[in-house]
Amino acid sequence: GQQVMQIPQYQHVQEGEDFTTYCNSSTTLSNIQWYKQRPGGHPVFLIQLVKSGEVKKQKRLTFQFGEAKKNSSLHITATQTTDVGTYFCGETSYDKVIFGPGTSLSVIP
Amino acid sequence: ETGVTQTPRHLVMGMTNKKSLKCEQHLGHNAMYWYKQSAKKPLELMFVYSLEERVENNSVPSRFSPECPNSSHLFLHLHTLQPEDSALYLCASSLRLDLSYNEQFFGPGTRLTVL
């Protein structure tokens, strides 16, 4: 069945360093959604990518959709302690989202 | 955020108990979802409802029984669960069933422990 992979599984960074998580699939992805889940919290929608090669920015967060629509990335510039959490990508397929396993980010102050 | 609420927030039950999880959305959405989140596993979709009709059932054991009496409420009835069913159960809603252009709003979850 469909599988969405994410790497790395965990990332520890010093506050102020950059962070990138990658979302990959062996098949062409229709749309990609990104969510963030703080420790003890619930997933919160960040963004959706639809077009091949699309790049979207939200303050220090940059989201990219690969040209072949088989991968996506989330890059955070100059991490802050408020960025701590698990970042999930998910492929949307009409009535469902197939989520990746997530990348857990910890930020050392 | 109070758009999607879930009760109870924590639940401990024995394997022979029967309990129910409740989800309510105050967003006027038409689709609702149950997910299971276990440690070290991706979010697993369990059930999808659109306008009170079940549209997806991802091979979930019959000991989990969903109910959607109206578009604002969703229940998950639990009976004779196993310890491996211990997890965070998340409810979500979206404006429309088509997630190609709709985001999901998640509730805070119910942390379930089965003894």
Side-chain angles (χ1 to χ4, degrees):
Chain A
Q2 289 172 298
Q3 263 199 318
V4 176
M5 285 80 73
Q6 275 187 263
I7 53 171
Q9 188 176 359
Y10 301 97
Q11 185 83 58
H12 306 278
V13 299
Q14 202 74 36
E15 189 173 17
E17 290 182 341
D18 292 355
F19 159 77
T20 304
T21 173
Y22 300 90
C23 181
N24 300 297
S25 173
S26 57
T27 58
T28 303
L29 302 163
S30 47
N31 301 331
I32 280 281
Q33 292 185 349
W34 283 93
Y35 289 79
K36 176 185 177 182
Q37 185 173 18
R38 293 180 188 272
H42 56 276
V44 175
F45 175 80
L46 293 176
I47 210 151
Q48 174 157 282
L49 303 172
V50 176
K51 299 176 186 174
S52 164
E54 189 170 16
V55 178
K56 287 188 176 180
K57 293 192 176 186
Q58 287 180 352
K59 295 183 181 178
R60 294 178 295 105
L61 277 60
T62 302
F63 302 84
Q64 276 192 292
F65 207 177
E67 291 290 343
K69 296 186 79 174
K70 287 189 174 184
N71 55 72
S72 179
S73 65
L74 158 58
H75 179 82
I76 302 179
T77 304
T79 53
Q80 300 175 0
T81 54
T82 52
D83 296 324
V84 165
T86 301
Y87 293 84
F88 296 96
C89 66
E91 179 191 16
T92 59
S93 175
Y94 187 60
D95 62 352
K96 66 178 78 169
V97 179
I98 309 296
F99 284 98
T103 295
S104 292
L105 171 66
S106 60
V107 179
I108 306 161
Chain B
E1 298 173 20
T2 57
V4 182
T5 57
Q6 288 187 244
T7 54
R9 295 293 306 276
H10 300 273
L11 178 62
V12 179
M13 59 188 287
M15 289 191 284
T16 57
N17 291 159
K18 286 185 180 180
K19 295 285 183 184
S20 295
L21 310 184
K22 179 183 175 183
C23 174
E24 184 173 359
Q25 57 97 359
H26 313 271
L27 301 167
H29 287 173
N30 293 320
M32 296 186 78
Y33 312 79
W34 278 118
Y35 283 90
K36 176 183 178 183
Q37 188 174 39
S38 307
K40 300 180 182 178
K41 278 189 168 183
L43 276 161
E44 299 172 59
L45 179 66
M46 300 175 73
F47 300 103
V48 180
Y49 275 83
S50 174
L51 296 171
E52 302 131 55
E53 285 193 23
R54 191 191 308 181
V55 297
E56 190 79 40
N57 174 0
N58 274 12
S59 303
V60 179
S62 59
R63 57 185 184 270
F64 295 91
S65 174
E67 179 191 359
C68 188
N70 54 63
S71 59
S72 298
H73 293 86
L74 186 64
F75 294 89
L76 188 62
H77 305 298
L78 317 170
H79 64 97
T80 58
L81 295 192
Q82 305 297 311
E84 59 264 28
D85 296 322
S86 299
L88 180 67
Y89 288 85
L90 290 159
C91 173
S93 71
S94 63
L95 179 60
R96 285 182 287 273
L97 184 63
D98 183 359
L99 292 174
S100 301
Y101 299 97
N102 286 277
E103 66 199 79
Q104 291 181 313
F105 291 79
F106 283 84
T110 295
R111 174 68 63 186
L112 173 67
T113 303
V114 182
L115 301 176

